[in-house]
Amino acid sequence: MKVLFMGTTDYAAACLDAVIRAGHEVTAVCTQPDRPKNRGMKMAKSPVKEYAESARIPVMQPTALKVPETVQAFKEAGADIFAVVAYGRILPRAVLDIPPEGCVNVHASLLPKYRGSAPIQWAVLNGEKEAGVTTMYMDSEMDTGDMIASASLAVGEYESFGSVYERLKPLGAELLVKTLADIEKGIEQRTPQDHSLATYAPPITKELCPVDWNDSPGRIADR
């Protein structure tokens, strides 16, 4: 299929690599604008942009998604489907309606648990014994679309966010490739989420950092 890929992080870059290796034609990549980084505050490219440029794939970095110029650029990419992984912005309806096969997202949780921007962090903080990834069709709300497929792994007793993140990276890439293949064959499953079971994973803040040493050893280890 012809794919327009939207993503920003190294997690997303791993998924982009897998999509290309699976033989799909990535017509364009959309990623966040370059931003100042580290002590020198020099402008830095996202991992997805760096990968796309090395693969000579056209890169878009819109600052606004609803404006006619951005919507038209997405249409001109000529993609059958949009694949979205850790892009960092909610897509407006004008964008969601463009690709004939829809917009597919890889979310790093076992939906409907941990909707939001920090699903892996909250899974570790809450002492979950299992983490995973879910592919879904996107809609106008955050992480509420119909699920397509999921994959999971066990979380070790003393695992950190970093180690779970690194293990979920190839799992998410593999699941995205499988999902695209199933959609291309017309055999994908579409399961509405049970919204009554939803939990949320808001951004991690400084207020969450202090450790309460009166907590149980397990809770302290999770933090």
Side-chain angles (χ1 to χ4, degrees):
M1 280 194 297
K2 294 183 177 180
V3 179
L4 187 150
F5 188 90
M6 306 180 74
T8 302
T9 66
D10 61 334
Y11 187 104
C15 291
L16 173 58
D17 177 68
V19 168
I20 292 172
R21 290 180 183 276
H24 297 286
E25 178 186 349
V26 178
T27 62
V29 159
C30 177
T31 189
Q32 292 273 7
D34 297 354
R35 289 194 168 88
K37 189 177 180 182
N38 299 326
R39 289 187 178 181
M41 298 300 284
K42 294 182 179 179
M43 298 299 287
K45 303 173 184 179
S46 74
V48 165
K49 181 178 180 180
E50 289 183 344
Y51 183 96
E53 288 183 340
S54 70
R56 298 185 178 181
I57 300 170
V59 176
M60 294 184 282
Q61 296 179 277
T63 56
L65 298 180
K66 293 183 179 180
V67 297
E69 295 83 359
T70 300
V71 173
Q72 184 59 32
F74 286 151
K75 290 179 179 178
E76 291 175 356
D80 302 311
I81 194 167
F82 289 5
V84 185
V85 186
Y87 174 52
R89 301 178 68 178
I90 295 176
L91 304 188
R93 176 53 60 186
V95 174
L96 293 173
D97 289 341
I98 293 172
E101 297 292 342
C103 297
V104 171
N105 175 241
V106 180
H107 184 68
S109 83
L110 298 172
L111 291 170
K113 295 183 71 173
Y114 298 120
R115 296 173 178 173
S117 62
I120 306 173
Q121 292 95 324
W122 281 102
V124 173
L125 278 168
N126 290 338
E128 297 284 358
K129 305 303 181 187
E130 184 181 46
V133 290
T134 304
T135 51
M136 64 178 168
Y137 283 108
M138 299 178 70
D139 60 20
S140 298
E141 303 299 323
M142 184 175 62
D143 303 328
T144 59
D146 291 350
M147 300 178 293
I148 304 169
S150 64
S152 64
L153 51 77
V155 177
E157 185 176 3
Y158 298 110
E159 273 203 272
S160 66
F161 157 75
S163 62
V164 178
Y165 176 91
E166 289 300 325
R167 292 203 294 131
L168 285 178
K169 196 188 298 184
L171 195 66
E174 180 182 336
L175 190 67
L176 175 58
V177 168
K178 179 184 183 303
T179 296
L180 291 177
D182 287 351
I183 291 173
E184 191 169 25
K185 296 172 185 173
I187 60 172
E188 81 280 9
Q189 301 295 311
R190 187 165 188 151
T191 306
Q193 293 188 45
D194 184 344
H195 302 302
S196 69
L197 300 178
T199 60
Y200 293 91
I204 300 299
T205 64
K206 290 182 178 180
E207 288 72 26
L208 292 167
C209 293
V211 175
D212 181 357
W213 298 106
N214 293 313
D215 261 345
S216 68
R219 286 287 299 153
I220 291 171
D222 293 337
R223 294 185 72 82

